[in-house]
Amino acid sequence: MDLALLGGQPVRKSKWIDWPVWNKEAEGSMMELLRSGNWFRGDGNKCVEFEQAYADLIGAKRVLATASGTTSLIIALHTLGVDAGDEVIVSPFTFIATYNVVFNQKALPVFADTDPETFTINPHKIEEKINERTTAILPVHICGLPADMNRILAIGKKHNLPVIEDACQAWLAEYDGKMCGTLGDLGCFSFQNSKHIPSGEGGALVGSNEALMDRCVSYHNCGRPYGSSMKGMGDYAVRGSNKRMTEVQAGLLLSQIGRARKDADKRLENALYLDSRFKDIPGIVPYKLADGATRSAYHLYPFRYKKEYFDGLPRHKFMAALQAEGIPCGMGYGKQYFDGLIEEAITSKGYQRLFSKERLDRYREELHNLPDNDLLTEEALWFYQNMLLAEKEDMDDIVNAVLKIHENRSKLL
Ligand SMILES: Cc1ncc(COP(=O)(O)O)c(C=O)c1O
């Protein structure tokens, strides 16, 4: 059979499930909310209801609904004391928001290399990055894959550093039987439209320390004291910002949350099936769970493409061939630390004031010492979460397309 990229018939012609999925049953309550004009959380109860529903879903003690995952991370960093001139240890293989939030605090994101098998931060590379300015550790459960939390939490404890989980892709992922986002000092989630519980934009902050969570609520509500109303004048003892979720976002989230558990189980079933099929295909190396991780959320199904098993066929050509066969596939994150944003930040007036020339020169050099992450950025590919909501036959389409390309690889060279 000819490859679709070369004019042949594609393995798959049918569509994948569209995302997000509108919930018709929620039309009545959504219209009621829209007609009421109570779109601000100070005038309604949808945000509070969602906070409770999300706490129940992931077994969290406290949940604060926020405007986005990014704002959750900013609240967490601020409240845990990450200040101008500090350093935060971050995973380099992540969506750019994880870097941006650290820069937002006028701190330096210091990258610890990635474990290419698990796609998450390599815990053995963290301690060498700690210095007197380090203020927090920010692991990312990327693609929904839990980071090695036992080791990371032990390092945090040893050095008296808080651990903030970027769980923005990891709803219902489990580590050691506990939900990701509930293991560290604070956990941050995103409900942006591509996410498993979507509301266009949205986020949540999760924690179990009451005093810390009270401070998060206060910061996100313009610095009004915890327990005061969402509007009117406060008694502004601390700085704050407005990072509140709207009632409309919370209404959408309540209309979506009911499907989260069932969807998660379906993704798991299909991902395990793909694991079992890819095991026998040389050059396709699926993710591995980190030590102690019990379950991924499968926001993405990541794997490494080893071109040497495809006679050197470059990754972008393999990806194009797969897409032509009707199988959507994305490239993982690139070497974003060379995109320009870091240079722009560290040459800015503020950073030049906050850090010594020696530190910034060394920081710039260290960006060239992330060999495992560099390799991963050249090999990673992924399938999308909506594909994992399909049936076993649809997973066979994915595998058959990969096998077809492998068989016909010489024609693409
Ligand atoms: C790993 C990670 N961190 C942070 C964010 C930021 O979340 P948001 O887009 O809701 O601001 C995202 C969102 O895509 C993400 O994937």
Side-chain angles (χ1 to χ4, degrees):
M1 248 211 308
D2 280 344
L3 290 166
L5 196 61
L6 303 177
Q9 287 299 314
V11 166
R12 182 184 174 91
K13 287 190 179 141
S14 46
K15 273 182 62 157
W16 296 89
I17 291 165
D18 279 334
W19 193 262
V21 181
W22 175 243
N23 176 1
K24 265 191 152 316
E25 284 172 22
E27 286 182 3
S29 60
M30 279 309 293
M31 280 314 293
E32 199 182 309
L33 169 62
L34 293 176
R35 289 195 181 109
S36 75
N38 294 335
W39 307 332
F40 158 55
R41 79 168 285 171
D43 293 329
N45 55 14
K46 297 281 183 210
C47 286
V48 174
E49 260 179 59
F50 175 70
E51 286 168 348
Q52 189 55 58
Y54 198 58
D56 292 345
L57 181 71
I58 66 162
K61 193 162 170 199
R62 289 268 299 266
V63 171
L64 172 65
T66 63
S68 64
T70 302
T71 52
S72 293
L73 285 160
I74 292 172
I75 299 165
L77 290 167
H78 174 86
T79 311
L80 285 165
V82 175
D83 209 343
D86 285 340
E87 299 189 6
V88 177
I89 296 178
V90 178
S91 176
F93 195 78
T94 182
F95 180 59
I96 204 66
T98 322
Y99 299 18
N100 280 335
V101 292
V102 180
F103 283 122
N104 187 77
Q105 297 304 107
K106 295 284 185 279
L108 266 189
V110 173
F111 303 110
D113 209 356
T114 307
D115 175 343
E117 295 198 316
T118 68
F119 290 66
T120 59
I121 196 165
N122 183 340
H124 304 292
K125 303 283 178 170
I126 293 178
E127 277 194 287
E128 66 199 54
K129 301 283 176 183
I130 295 176
N131 64 33
E132 68 291 347
R133 295 236 186 165
T134 310
T135 313
I137 307 174
L138 178 49
V140 185
H141 306 303
I142 202 66
C143 306
L145 292 162
D148 186 341
M149 289 305 289
N150 281 344
R151 289 201 173 91
I152 295 167
L153 291 170
I155 296 167
K157 198 164 173 198
K158 179 171 159 198
H159 295 272
N160 200 20
L161 292 171
V163 175
I164 301 166
E165 295 176 77
D166 182 338
C168 284
Q169 298 186 4
W171 330 258
L172 298 173
E174 288 174 26
Y175 186 88
D176 203 9
K178 296 183 209 90
M179 294 286 178
C180 284
T182 66
L183 297 136
D185 293 80
L186 290 169
C188 301
F189 291 90
S190 167
F191 305 122
Q192 183 272 337
N193 231 37
S194 63
K195 303 302 182 356
H196 298 190
I197 310 173
S199 57
E201 301 285 359
L205 188 65
V206 166
S208 57
N209 177 322
E210 300 280 2
L212 180 63
M213 284 303 288
D214 291 354
R215 286 195 279 133
C216 291
V217 176
S218 176
Y219 179 70
H220 112 295
N221 184 29
C222 310
R224 293 184 178 93
Y226 175 73
S228 65
S229 103
M230 290 281 160
K231 49 189 171 183
M233 297 302 155
D235 147 28
Y236 306 105
V238 293
R239 284 169 292 164
S241 184
N242 174 6
K243 309 231 182 285
R244 293 179 304 240
M245 179 180 276
T246 68
E247 288 288 284
V248 180
Q249 285 170 292
L252 278 168
L253 290 170
L254 285 165
S255 80
Q256 294 285 320
I257 196 168
R259 58 178 301 145
R261 167 54 69 192
K262 199 158 152 262
D263 284 352
D265 290 345
K266 188 74 189 172
R267 290 188 194 97
L268 175 67
E269 182 189 317
N270 280 324
L272 295 180
Y273 179 67
L274 284 179
D275 291 353
S276 72
R277 298 287 318 272
F278 284 144
K279 196 164 72 315
D280 304 321
I281 306 182
I284 303 293
V285 188
Y287 67 92
K288 199 179 116 193
L289 288 181
D291 284 351
T294 31
R295 175 176 176 145
S296 173
Y298 298 105
H299 182 51
L300 295 151
Y301 180 97
F303 60 97
R304 285 178 292 156
Y305 168 72
K306 298 273 181 192
K307 66 176 183 217
E308 51 278 25
Y309 291 89
F310 283 71
D311 296 338
L313 179 72
R315 177 179 59 162
H316 71 271
K317 278 203 186 168
F318 171 80
M319 192 173 90
L322 207 50
Q323 287 167 342
E325 299 297 337
I327 311 298
C329 172
M331 245 185 247
Y333 301 109
K335 298 179 186 71
Q336 307 167 129
Y337 26 88
F338 298 134
D339 280 0
L341 85 156
I342 288 187
E343 201 50 33
E344 185 261 337
I346 65 178
T347 52
S348 71
K349 198 169 61 176
Y351 276 80
Q352 301 268 325
R353 276 196 204 125
L354 289 163
F355 295 91
S356 67
K357 179 173 181 318
E358 186 273 326
R359 175 65 186 114
L360 293 178
D361 286 348
R362 193 158 38 84
Y363 179 75
R364 192 182 279 113
E365 265 167 45
E366 283 168 4
L367 301 176
H368 294 273
N369 192 18
L370 296 167
D372 290 336
N373 193 70
D374 285 349
L375 185 61
L376 186 60
T377 64
E378 286 157 22
E379 294 185 339
L381 287 172
W382 53 45
F383 300 122
Y384 301 98
Q385 60 93 6
N386 63 316
M387 299 163 75
L388 297 177
L389 293 176
E391 299 306 322
K392 195 168 160 203
E393 319 68 275
D394 303 295
M395 300 304 107
D396 287 330
D397 285 346
I398 298 176
V399 177
N400 290 337
V402 170
L403 288 170
K404 184 177 169 189
I405 297 165
H406 190 260
E407 263 166 42
N408 292 281
R409 61 193 180 279
S410 61
K411 296 179 196 150
L412 288 170
L413 289 169

